[in-house]
């Protein structure tokens, strides 16, 4: 049965989105991206190094298969984020943007006030806006009202690897949302991704969880499976939790 | 010669060259870079007609690995 993710009118096979930061080498990144099975890779927009020979990241991304999703990483105001989004659109020739407006360098938590301002403006300019936000159902609702094509609540702080900290908030966000919900940030290992997917989120975005692992390619493979397994388990419908045992072998026919 | 601000650095370049020429002289491949002149994006179909003016502040950006990282660089 088809189970495709659709965001902004575009279909995705894989529900895993991956970042391209923090890899030791471009070769390693390329292998990890392939192992992850992801259809979407996030990239940052930065000045070209004019001093010379820096190799292009894009030489190591299979752009026929993967969609480049420019982000506004490192921006702390709506104005900066809008500027970066426009540059990303121009460089990548796509309307999609992963919108980040950070509030604080220590936590890298979003500044939701600025995020909403930037979302409204970019939607007006025709962008498909995917905002990174808190696990706050009210903010997610406001972002959706502002025209976001998906909402991307964090599971835990960026790069923390703490896993989904507030499962119940994610549940509430899912209950209210009529756009896809992608958990963005905080995934440390495969079970964290599976837990998110089992809750029914539409996808998971991660970077450090893979790039920072001792064996990034093996972790990318693990995440690929975890996202698929979590999705299947969600669709399969888990059994209810019960305090006491329920025998799984029949009592009838037991010897007396 | 004219003086411009290029990615935050002062640079002397020939007068009356276009953005397309500038990219060429910098040996930058035009695919997937974006250019701002005085904080306004110049679309790629205008690069061969947009002539660089003395005192222009030009930013040429591309995609790098990311990730949430340090502050926006083009603010400096």
């Amino acid at each position: 049965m088809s189970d495709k993710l659709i965001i902004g009118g575009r279909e995705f096979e894989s529900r895993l989105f991956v970042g391209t930061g923090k890899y030791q080498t471009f070769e390693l990144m390329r292998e990890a991206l392939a192992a992850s099975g992801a259809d979407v890779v996030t990239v940052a927009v930065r000045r070209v190094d004019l001093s010379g020979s820096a190799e292009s990241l894009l030489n190591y991304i299979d752009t026929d298969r993967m969609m480049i999703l420019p982000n506004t990483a490192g921006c702390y105001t709506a104005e900066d984020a809008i500027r970066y989004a426009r540059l990303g659109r121009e460089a990548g020739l796509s309307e999609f943007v992963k919108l980040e407006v950070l509030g604080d360098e220590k936590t890298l938590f979003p500044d939701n006030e600025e995020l909403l301002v930037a979302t409204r403006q970019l939607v007006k300019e025709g962008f498909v806006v995917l905002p990174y936000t808190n696990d706050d159902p009210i903010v997610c609702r406001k972002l959706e009202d502002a025209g976001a094509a998906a909402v991307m609540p964090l599971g835990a702080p960026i790069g923390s690897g703490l896993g989904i900290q507030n499962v119940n908030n994610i549940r509430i966000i899912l209950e209210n949302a009529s756009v896809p919900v992608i958990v963005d940030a905080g995934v440390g290992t495969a079970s964290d991704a599976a837990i998110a997917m089992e809750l029914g989120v539409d996808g998971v975005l991660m970077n450090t969880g893979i790039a920072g692992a001792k064996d990034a390619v093996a972790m990318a493979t693990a995440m690929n499976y975890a996202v698929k397994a979590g999705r299947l388990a969600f669709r399969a419908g888990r059994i209810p939790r019960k305090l006491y045992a329920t025998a799984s072998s029949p009592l009838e026919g037991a010897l007396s | 010669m004219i003086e411009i601000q290029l990615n935050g650095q002062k640079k002397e370049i020939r007068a009356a060259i276009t953005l397309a020429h500038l990219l060429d002289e910098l040996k930058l491949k035009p695919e997937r870079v974006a250019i701002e002149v005085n904080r306004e994006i110049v679309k790629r179909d205008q690069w061969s007609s947009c002539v660089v003016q003395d005192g222009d502040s030009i930013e040429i950006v591309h995609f790098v690995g990311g990730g949430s990282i340090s502050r926006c660089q083009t603010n400096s």
Side-chain angles (χ1 to χ4, degrees):
Chain A
M1 189 162 64
S2 165
D3 180 34
K4 282 185 178 151
L5 170 61
I6 300 173
I7 302 174
R10 198 166 157 157
E11 277 189 11
F12 303 98
E13 294 276 345
S14 170
R15 291 172 179 272
L16 174 58
F17 292 28
V18 291
T20 52
K22 296 186 179 173
Y23 283 97
Q24 305 289 331
T25 63
F26 278 150
E27 282 83 4
L28 183 64
M29 180 194 79
R30 174 162 56 193
E31 270 186 72
L33 295 186
S36 75
D39 294 337
V40 180
V41 282
T42 66
V43 298
V45 174
R46 291 292 180 270
R47 281 176 171 159
V48 170
D49 178 8
L50 297 171
S51 65
S53 58
E55 248 194 305
S56 171
L57 174 78
L58 294 178
N59 293 342
Y60 293 86
I61 297 174
D62 179 0
T63 49
D64 290 337
R65 203 182 70 73
M66 303 182 107
M67 185 183 92
I68 300 284
L69 177 61
N71 66 29
T72 60
C75 291
Y76 286 78
T77 63
E79 192 190 349
D80 274 344
I82 291 165
R83 184 181 181 197
Y84 272 68
R86 289 173 181 155
L87 285 166
R89 170 160 73 178
E90 209 43 42
L93 306 173
S94 143
E95 311 294 322
F96 281 71
V97 62
K98 183 197 156 186
L99 184 63
E100 284 186 37
V101 189
L102 304 175
D104 175 270
E105 284 182 50
K106 189 169 180 182
T107 62
L108 300 178
F109 282 143
D111 181 328
N112 291 311
E113 202 178 354
E114 294 287 305
L115 185 66
L116 277 162
V117 170
T119 300
R120 287 193 194 101
Q121 178 61 32
L122 291 170
V123 167
K124 215 181 284 175
E125 294 181 21
F127 282 87
V128 177
V129 181
L130 288 67
Y132 154 74
T133 183
N134 296 82
D135 53 358
D136 176 341
I138 309 304
V139 174
C140 286
R141 190 190 67 210
K142 288 186 179 181
L143 288 165
E144 192 179 327
D145 291 346
V151 289
M152 306 215 290
L154 53 82
I158 291 171
S160 70
L162 288 171
I164 313 303
Q165 293 296 288
N166 197 335
V167 164
N168 295 318
N169 272 25
I170 301 289
R171 282 205 178 110
I172 296 170
I173 291 167
L174 280 166
E175 208 176 287
N176 295 340
S178 51
V179 293
V181 177
I182 315 281
V183 163
D184 179 4
V187 169
T189 188
S191 54
D192 296 336
I195 286 168
M197 293 307 297
E198 285 172 10
L199 292 173
V201 304
D202 299 279
V204 176
L205 193 157
M206 65 182 77
N207 187 351
T208 313
I210 294 174
K214 273 185 193 153
D215 182 340
V217 178
M219 187 58 90
T221 309
M223 293 299 185
N224 186 353
Y225 288 136
V227 167
K228 289 191 174 106
R231 180 67 184 174
L232 278 171
F234 166 71
R235 282 165 60 91
R238 59 155 300 145
I239 59 162
R241 289 182 171 87
K242 285 187 278 188
L243 191 55
Y244 292 102
T246 310
S248 51
S249 306
L251 294 172
E252 267 172 47
L255 301 177
S256 54
Chain B
M1 301 292 279
I2 57 171
E3 189 178 278
I4 60 167
Q5 194 80 11
L6 181 60
N7 285 8
Q9 307 269 329
K10 277 185 185 164
K11 190 172 170 70
E12 290 217 322
I13 59 165
R14 284 190 291 124
I17 69 168
T18 64
L19 287 176
H21 285 131
L22 181 64
L23 283 184
D24 201 39
E25 292 202 355
L26 293 167
K27 298 189 171 60
L28 291 176
K29 288 187 189 147
E31 304 90 39
R32 298 209 165 98
V33 303
I35 306 180
E36 253 186 8
V37 178
N38 303 325
R39 293 195 69 126
E40 293 286 331
I41 287 178
V42 181
K43 294 196 177 289
R44 58 186 66 233
D45 57 9
Q46 292 157 25
W47 291 350
S48 52
S49 57
C50 179
V51 176
V52 181
Q53 307 292 325
D54 190 33
D56 274 351
S57 177
I58 299 177
E59 297 284 355
I60 305 176
V61 301
H62 67 158
F63 292 136
V64 301
S68 269
I69 37 177
S70 55
R71 276 184 181 275
C72 297
Q73 279 178 346
T74 57
N75 284 339
S76 57

